[in-house]
Amino acid sequence: MTGRAALALGASLALWSAAATAAPITALVPDATDVRQSTLVGRSGQVYEPDAAGSRWVRRAPGGVSIEVTAATLLDGELVAFGARTPLFRRRGPQWLVEQVGQRGRVLVGAGPHFSIAIGRQLFLRKQGRFVRIGAAPADVVALWAGDERSVVFATDQAIFRRRGAAFVQVRSLAGVLGFSGAAPHALTATAAIEVRTGAKLTLPGVAVRAASSAKAPAAIVRLPTGRLALARDLTRPGAPIELPVDVEPAFVATDLQDRAVLAADGAVQVLDGSTWRPATLVDELPAARPGPPPARSP
């Protein structure tokens, strides 16, 4: 083999190796019953689906989007991906399609069992297959939660509001909300978790850095007095939080009804079952490349 041929082969192998490397995961569509059966989404819209045993996630279709994906959900049985701004992208078959909402701006996807989204100050719910605008916030929305069409709460940088009839009313003044978590929404700040309905305050085992997606008790990533990051799976009861396997703030963290958890941090996915973290296995099993349309692009 000539030197030039060896260089060409080496370059080809390097490109193949890069293509075969699993994409950094930045979003998750949680399964509340078993979070190991959640769908993972990569930074450019790579979709990894779980196997039956919950031991690995596999990508079987190519495709991507022109945004950096920060959140994802299932709407009408189809995967929808979100970036920092509109448009949204809906996955239909193996392809991503642009999904217009009728509003442009910064995107914030809500927590809770009912889908909600804020685009700028405009608030939307999903109803009968459509995005329905339900009102506007008095200031930029920093956190959002919806239990159903009537139970909607959001936070601005200074206060928490809840839906009352066709209007939103201020519940209480509260600055520094990081997010909402739990089946009954708790507003998480760096120093406390506040139950929105009653105002009851929960003491944290450290300094909160991120709310966790939870279908049960409120959960959070906290920085312990030791300086380590840890997952507090249930802020309503005492108990030692579980230190993270890496000292990097996760892109996301979700827990399920059995206190299992999945998080993505430092380019890798970790699964918590019991009290032990283990690295997830991400596998690309893509079909042979064929000519076709390019990835979806925003207008």
Side-chain angles (χ1 to χ4, degrees), residues 115-176:
F115 174 79
S116 60
I117 186 173
I119 302 179
R121 297 184 180 182
Q122 307 301 314
L123 303 173
F124 296 83
L125 295 178
R126 190 73 174 174
K127 185 176 182 180
Q128 297 177 347
R130 299 186 300 116
F131 291 96
V132 178
R133 181 183 175 277
I134 60 171
D140 289 343
V141 178
V142 299
L144 177 64
W145 183 96
D148 55 35
E149 294 179 15
R150 298 177 300 278
S151 179
V152 180
V153 297
F154 67 85
T156 66
D157 61 352
Q158 295 296 323
I160 296 177
F161 297 79
R162 72 181 308 156
R163 191 177 191 185
R164 183 171 295 170
F168 287 97
V169 297
Q170 182 173 323
V171 176
R172 58 184 47 83
S173 297
L174 184 65

Side-chain angles (χ1 to χ4, degrees), residues 7 12 24 49 136 247 284 296:
L7 287 174
S12 297
E49 296 175 320
D247 194 35
D284 283 349

